[in-house]
């Protein structure tokens, strides 16, 4: 175990969950009514499509797999990806703490008048019951997906690189669409996530020196 810890010091990144999860839960508990509305008219033109719950939920194994795979297979890519995600998520927590934000109260669909019912609707209902419509700017689903996809693109030792990198691009894209089509985020949240990723990308992934 001592030898493993000595050769895998980058495992310390996993401890960030001990900071992120309690902080996020506190925000979810306290940011409930008095917050800044994130919304533009274009959001109302985006249709609610319950089938996007599938890629939305695939975000969890997508990010989880990337952490585990790169931890063992590509230390430098892991460190860069984990640094990218950690800085981005910390920025999100700080921003939401000093600028409480969320979606309009009536932004999510009214399932009683939606006119359809299926397993995907049930999954969305479960999502809504466990995830409030506050603390949305920038979208962590989008930001983390971008960070993971960049890591996939940077890695050079895949057995089938075109297939895996192509699949990552498709899933990353679907996750981004899912955030707005499930009415989990405003398009502003997506834009903010892309902007944050654009700032951090050259600072972290384009560094030639090892970090």
């Amino acid at each position: 175990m001592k030898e493993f810890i000595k050769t895998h010091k980058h495992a310390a990144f996993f401890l960030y969950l001990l900071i992120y999860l309690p902080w996020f839960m506190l925000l979810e508990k306290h940011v409930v009514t008095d917050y800044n509305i994130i919304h533009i008219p274009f959001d109302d033109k985006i249709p609610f499509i319950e089938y996007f719950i599938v890629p939305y939920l695939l975000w969890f194994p997508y990010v989880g797999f990337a952490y585990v795979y790169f931890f063992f297979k590509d230390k430098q890519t892991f460190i860069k990806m984990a640094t990218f995600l950690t800085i981005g998520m910390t920025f999100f927590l700080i921003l939401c703490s000093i600028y409480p934000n969320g979606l309009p109260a009536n932004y999510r669909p009214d399932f009683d008048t939606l006119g359809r019912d299926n397993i995907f609707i049930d999954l969305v209902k479960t999502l809504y019951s466990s995830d409030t419509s506050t603390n949305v700017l920038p979208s962590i689903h989008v930001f983390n997906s971008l960070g993971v996809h960049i890591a996939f693109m940077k890695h050079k030792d895949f057995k089938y690189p075109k297939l895996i990198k192509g699949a990552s691009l498709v899933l990353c894209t679907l996750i981004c669409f899912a955030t707005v089509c499930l009415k989990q985020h405003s398009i502003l949240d997506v834009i903010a996530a892309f902007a944050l990723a654009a700032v951090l990308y050259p600072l972290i992934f384009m560094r030639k020196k090892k970090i």
Side-chain angles (χ1 to χ4, degrees):
M1 180 59 72
K2 290 183 179 180
E3 185 63 29
F4 180 85
I5 294 174
K6 181 185 286 189
T7 57
H8 295 78
K9 293 181 180 179
H10 51 301
F13 278 104
F14 289 101
L15 297 177
Y16 180 68
L17 283 176
L18 299 179
I19 297 174
Y20 180 81
L21 291 178
W23 192 342
F24 179 74
M25 289 177 183
L26 280 174
L27 288 172
E28 288 284 275
K29 181 178 179 180
H30 293 287
V31 181
V32 291
T33 54
D34 187 17
Y35 55 82
N36 299 280
I37 299 297
I38 307 299
H39 179 267
I40 59 175
F42 183 76
D43 292 327
D44 297 324
K45 298 182 183 298
I46 300 174
F48 169 75
I49 306 175
E50 66 268 24
Y51 306 111
F52 272 102
I53 189 64
V54 176
Y56 190 89
L57 294 179
L58 285 176
W59 176 84
F60 295 96
Y62 180 51
V63 175
F65 173 80
Y67 263 88
V68 174
Y69 179 84
F70 292 119
F71 177 80
F72 289 106
K73 295 293 186 177
D74 187 341
K75 179 179 177 181
Q76 280 305 305
T77 296
F78 173 85
I79 291 175
K80 289 183 177 182
M81 180 191 73
T83 300
F84 182 91
L85 300 190
T86 299
I87 293 175
M89 288 189 287
T90 302
F91 174 83
F92 160 79
L93 292 171
I94 294 174
L95 178 61
C96 289
S97 296
I98 62 178
Y99 184 75
N101 58 81
L103 302 172
N106 61 346
Y107 186 62
R108 288 176 167 179
D110 181 355
F111 294 111
D112 292 332
T113 61
L114 191 60
R116 59 183 185 271
D117 187 25
N118 52 57
I119 188 173
F120 303 102
I121 293 287
D122 291 338
L123 288 172
V124 175
K125 288 180 180 178
T126 301
L127 172 65
Y128 286 178
S129 67
S130 61
D131 188 8
T132 71
S133 57
T134 59
N135 307 306
V136 295
L137 181 74
S139 168
I140 289 301
H141 249 66
V142 171
F143 177 80
N144 283 6
S145 295
L146 293 173
V148 167
H149 178 61
I150 292 170
F152 272 96
M153 295 302 294
K154 293 292 184 180
H155 186 59
K156 299 178 180 179
D157 295 329
F158 288 124
K159 188 174 182 180
Y160 303 103
K162 290 184 178 180
L163 176 63
I164 294 175
K165 293 178 181 182
S168 175
L169 175 61
V170 170
L171 181 54
C172 178
T173 302
L174 289 174
I175 290 171
C176 292
F177 275 103
T179 60
V180 292
C181 289
L182 292 178
K183 302 300 179 177
Q184 281 289 90
H185 286 278
S186 162
I187 193 69
L188 291 176
D189 305 325
V190 175
I191 293 172
F194 270 85
L196 180 59
V199 171
L200 293 180
Y201 173 75
L203 299 176
I204 298 173
F205 280 101
M206 294 184 69
R207 284 174 58 111
K208 294 184 179 181
K209 293 183 179 180
K210 292 184 177 181
I211 60 175

